[in-house]
Structure formats: C-alpha cells, structure tokens
Amino acid sequence: MAQLQDKSMHCIMVVEDCFAIGGKGLAVVGNQLVQAMPLESSVVELRRPGRQTLSTMVVDSGIFSSPMDGSKTRSFSILLPANLQVDDVPLGSEIWQSQAMS
C-alpha cells in the first residue's frame, strides 16, 4: 500500500481469509508477521487495499498452525467484533498494531 508509514505502528498480519462466525464476530486469518499476537481488547488498524483505514479491536486471537519448515511465520486468526462484515475486510488487508502493544 502506498501510505506514509507510522513509526509507532507495525504490520502484524496480511489477511488471507475472512469469515463470519455467527454471534461471535468476524474471523480474519493470515500469516503472523511478528512474534507477539494481539491481546484481547487491543486496538488494531485495518489498512484496506485502495481504501481507507478502520480502527477496531481484537475480540480474541490464536495460532492454529505452526510452520514445519522452520520459517518465522505462523498461521493465526484474529476475531474482530460482530459489527464488521466480510466486505469490510477484503483479502490483502493489513492489520497494524501499536509498537507498544506487541
């Protein structure tokens, strides 16, 4: 994305899949780009391809697979609030978090 980079924020994942879980929220799945996962109630910023940013919070997160090849990326999911829709988080969106939170 062609944006000025905020030095206080870093990208923690790129969305590879997204689906609604009825009554729970919106699950986004991608590769973990940093060691620390966002904690419940952490504020994150969605940077959507070709569109505006959106601030939201993490409802829950978890690792669902670890790499077998020794790489530093792991697949994990973040559960976002139920008021978000799949169309709000297109594939390729980036999830950014404050450096202080990681």
Side-chain angles (χ1 to χ4, degrees):
M1 283 181 203
Q3 293 183 1
L4 293 175
Q5 298 299 318
D6 180 347
K7 299 294 184 195
S8 67
M9 304 278 287
H10 66 279
C11 182
I12 59 171
M13 77 179 281
V14 177
V15 176
E16 296 177 348
D17 197 6
C18 182
F19 53 92
I21 300 175
K24 300 283 185 186
L26 186 70
V28 294
V29 179
N31 285 330
Q32 184 176 357
L33 301 176
V34 295
Q35 284 209 243
M37 291 191 317
L39 301 174
E40 186 176 322
S41 300
S42 295
V43 174
V44 293
E45 181 178 273
L46 299 173
R47 295 186 182 179
R48 302 177 282 189
R51 301 199 309 196
Q52 75 278 11
T53 61
L54 174 70
S55 290
T56 189
M57 71 172 217
V58 173
V59 175
D60 198 4
S61 64
I63 297 170
F64 62 87
S65 70
S66 294
M68 302 297 271
D69 63 2
S71 68
K72 293 184 179 184
T73 59
R74 296 181 286 181
S75 295
F76 79 117
S77 64
I78 296 175
L79 188 64
L80 301 175
N83 66 326
L84 292 175
Q85 304 295 314
V86 171
D87 290 343
D88 293 328
V89 188
L91 301 184
S93 294
E94 297 174 346
I95 299 183
W96 288 66
Q97 184 177 30
S98 169
Q99 294 275 10
M101 298 302 292
S102 59

